[in-house]
Amino acid sequence: MVSPALAPDDVVKALSIEDSMAYLKSKHPDAVSDDEREGYSGVVVQASKLVEVARAIRDDLGFDYLSSATAVDYLGAGDHMEMVYHAYRTSGGGALVFKAQTERENPEIPSLVPVWRGADFQEREAWDLYGIKFPGHPNLRRILMWEGFHGHPMRKDWREAYYEEEQKPFDNRWPGGHVHRSEEKNVFGKNVTYPPDIDLNRLMDTSESEVYASLGLGVDVERILDKDGFETNELVVNMGPHHPSTHGVFRMVLTVDGETVTSLEPVMGYLHRNHEKIGERNTYLHNIPFTDRLDYISSMGNNHGYVLAVEQLMSLGRKYNPPTYRCEAIRVMMVELSRIVNHLWAIGFWLNDIGAFFTPVLYFIQERERILDFFEAVAGSRMMCNYMRFGGLFGDLPERIKSVSNLTNDRVRDYNTMQFLTEMVNERIPRTIDELEQLLTQNEILLERSIGVGILSADDAINYSAAGPLLRGSGVAYDVRRADPYSIYPELDFDVAVEQDGDMYARYRVRVTELRESVRILKQILPRLEATYGESIWADGKPGAYAPRVPFGEAYGRVENGKGELGYYVVSAGGRGGSSNPWRYHVRAPSFINLTPMGLMSSGYKVADIVGILGSIDIVLGETDR
Amino acid sequence: MRGLTLQEATNEASLGENMYGTGLAKGLMLTLRHFVDSFVDDLRYGLRKYSHATDNFGLRQGTEAKGVITVQYPDEKVAVPERFRFVPFLIVEDEDHPIRSGKDWCTSCGICAKVCPPQCIWIVRGNDPDTGRPVPEPEAFFIDIDICMNCGYCAEYCPFDAIKMDHDYELASYDRTSHHIHDKEKLSKPASYWRDIAPTRAYEEMLVRGTWEHKDAAKEARRGSASASTRSSSRAQEPQAEAAPAAVATSAEAAAAPAASAPVEGATPWSEDDAKREERRRKALERKAKRAAKSGG
Ligand code: SF4
Ligand code: SF4
């Protein structure tokens, strides 16, 4: 019961998810209805009323944080397009899921950018990959594919150049597997259709100004580029795609007035491989190693989010055993070690960006290497761990971290696993964090470079759907591990790191605190591992099947990864067509969405600060571009 | 002005009373310590650094090490742990196996081709030339190692332990088109190789299978059909696609296995008890083989 002392506003803001849905239905009876499909949740909102309802969701109900906005193509299953939104309260709790539907031909859904700026890049992605138009969007351009790309690749009827079959496993691999290379059979060009008005022999570069004008920099580019008119000091500068500070192939187009940045527009997609299309051709199991390749700095966390999403779906069915306690403990240990790796890496390379070139980062990498040694011994690979399975893990911890000489000149190592872990957690990692602080926290150069630079206010951070250290550095104590807990986090003792200033230094401080909190969690995990020694990591004692049956439904699995909230939206077609492949597989990539406020954070600062601001967001292009 | 001023921040970092530059100096002290540490470490290990003794390598790479060590690849290499996974290989029975020498463990069931995420495994199932019915043996087996993502699924889900992840990561070549599609010949390695590179895991798998050699070898021995090369088509089974590896390790089955496989050479990876048990088992098998040889004439 809600206390009567609360003002009516607060009563509504404290409603449970069910009551919130009821509230929406009563307020907009003809625009909002329950999503009644089997295994689905949330409400369906009439597209024409979407903005109005979204405002009610944000302002009346207090779901101020739009985590994910993505499209689904239901070709052959209702033949409509759908936008799915997951909104949360920054005070914690579950998601209010709402959807808007439109037809497949000329799909159109009003933009939610006026309500949540965080929808900006996500709607552009939906336009790019699904061809949904968003009237009201200030800058609706392609974001991952290039302007001029033919078609919208995530639509179910779009086929890639090396198209083989709708879904894996492909029929021609067994029993008649006569090997070929797809590029030999499918010479590029044969199965590619060009729009009728394109003549390949007469392709020409578009003029500079057209490119820049489309970037939405908010300046009169013509005037800048006009060589006669010297009335301005503004200049367009390209940083990237091959700029060492961009941590990959990433481009920022900025206009500068002298040394001061007046506007900035991130340009991405250089590493785009349509991870999600691949994911929808794959079976559920196939996707786990592919998630490793998203944020390749912390692949354990990527695995975790995905298996959580699929386990959510599997739990809708009858034959499902949740993972054992030991399995959960190992999972948490692995993701916390990944978080340490991630933050050491992030801080190290951020320092590179602001000028402390490579001395600190190499000290951190030294520790990271030892953690990766451990991953390699347990999961089989240092970075592409592919360690988690639905309902379990690839394998239990080995007794010993041990190698066998195999190649000539091999040097071997042999440690007891638990002893190695204990020493790492109790001594080495804390020592490294102490060193890190000694080296940096009070370093005057660092303070001068980072304090008051790249400021993002709390309201903006929430409105722009920032996540992870970027959000917490702006004074919003929102950590998925506490706000919407999963696995065994509720029983673990740790604090959410938060800093109020919203600048680069605050983000650095958040990361340092999180390193310490991760160590604190690991110290609690070790005795749990000892206590469960010998127990199986599988609920029924034997490994899961390679083709699990996943019932109808949708699931959104999210975890707090090093870079922020990582979410997987998975739709299962269940019996539909009898496939074991996800109908929809979407990744809510923190590196991608955290770039939305990049322009806002950068304007007014110097060009040299931009590099540092980007570093302080901590992106990885494998995840940004997907 | 949003945020803190520098002065406030330095105060917050409890530096208020300190001189400007103290934080910087503190950091430099740490750099100096790292610098000195690496030399102290060098002195402690002296020329042993260059020796090929593995014990001090393990130490210097371990949790207690202070300095940094550079591994002089390719003169030195860090041996990979047992679970390390690189491009897979196929297991064939050891040369010295009495009845199945050189035979594939693979039954061409196709599971690995199905679980392979990038779909880089190609298997041609064998057919009996007389009856035309499928036999449990691949006619051809290809892995496109340019596409293989080293995920290890094929090894993990193979119900016959017939495909394993290799440790040899030095696969660079000058021409990918001729070298990077591995065929059956290139993929095949004897079972003893797997026991060498991953003794603990090979041992665990043996316990599950109940024999050091292929499951079928044990069955064949029980049936008394010593000749493994003549296979009647009635035995040709189409393996159950969903079949999980049989998790039976009955001692009866282990004892029924022919005395083909010698225990792993070199250091035993498991406990001494296990080693003794293994020794007893080996002797029992030897005795049994002798008896069989006598009575069989
Ligand atoms: S799963 Fe094993 S037995 Fe089946 S085809 Fe592959 S390697 Fe052969
Ligand atoms: S390791 Fe993975 S990618 Fe490589 S062949 Fe095996 S299943 Fe396929």
Side-chain angles (χ1 to χ4, degrees), chain A residues 164 168-170 172-184 282-283 285-290 293 359 363 366 370 373 376-381 384-389 393-398 402-413 415 420 423-424 428 431 435-436 438-439 441-445 447-448 451-452 455 501 503 505 542 544-547 605, chain B residues 2-6 9-10 13-15 19-24 26-27 30-31 33-34 51-52 54 57-58 60-68 74-85 108-111 113-119 121-125 142 144 146 149 151 153 156-157 167-170 176-177 180-181 193 196-197 199-201 238 241-242 269:
Chain A
E164 283 203 58
K168 291 174 186 174
F170 297 145
N172 63 356
R173 299 299 196 270
W174 177 88
H178 296 286
V179 69
H180 68 257
R181 288 178 194 273
S182 27
E183 77 261 31
E184 284 160 10
N282 282 348
T283 68
L285 186 75
H286 288 162
N287 273 339
I288 303 173
F290 277 90
R293 277 93 176 150
T359 302
Y363 294 164
Q366 226 176 305
R370 286 190 172 78
D373 280 346
E376 189 181 28
V378 177
S381 186
M384 303 296 125
C385 297
N386 186 19
Y387 185 55
M388 300 188 192
R389 301 287 179 270
L393 299 164
F394 157 66
D396 204 334
L397 303 181
K402 181 176 153 198
S403 53
V404 182
S405 178
N406 171 38
L407 303 174
T408 39
N409 306 336
D410 261 354
R411 300 272 178 280
V412 300
R413 290 166 293 179
Y415 315 115
F420 181 87
E423 277 164 18
M424 284 301 288
R428 281 209 78 110
R431 191 161 71 221
E435 284 190 353
L436 183 156
Q438 188 191 342
L439 192 58
T441 303
Q442 298 172 5
N443 183 313
E444 286 82 359
I445 302 176
L447 295 177
E448 285 198 52
I451 288 177
I455 289 182
D501 303 333
D503 56 9
Y505 190 65
K542 62 175 200 293
Y546 67 84
Y605 298 102
Chain B
R2 295 171 295 176
L4 284 181
T5 63
L6 177 63
T10 32
S14 72
L15 253 180
M19 242 174 58
Y20 187 84
T22 325
L24 204 63
K26 258 184 163 179
L30 183 91
T31 319
R33 209 179 68 224
H34 270 271
S51 89
H52 283 195
T54 52
F57 179 79
R60 295 191 71 181
Q61 287 269 307
T63 45
E64 269 157 40
K66 276 211 162 152
V68 213
D75 291 335
E76 292 180 305
K77 287 162 197 165
V78 183
V80 293
E82 282 195 27
R83 289 188 184 179
F84 179 79
R85 41 188 157 80
S108 133
C109 71
I111 287 180
K114 284 183 197 136
V115 295
C116 175
Q119 296 285 292
I121 301 183
W122 311 72
I123 306 168
V124 182
R125 188 170 57 195
F142 302 97
D144 188 335
D146 287 334
M149 68 201 294
C151 68
Y153 276 167
E156 196 177 331
Y157 290 98
H167 287 184
D168 182 4
Y169 48 82
E170 297 182 324
R176 78 183 183 96
T177 46
H180 282 187
I181 290 186
Y193 173 76
D196 282 347
I197 63 170
T200 320
R201 298 187 67 200
E238 184 142 2
E242 310 290 336

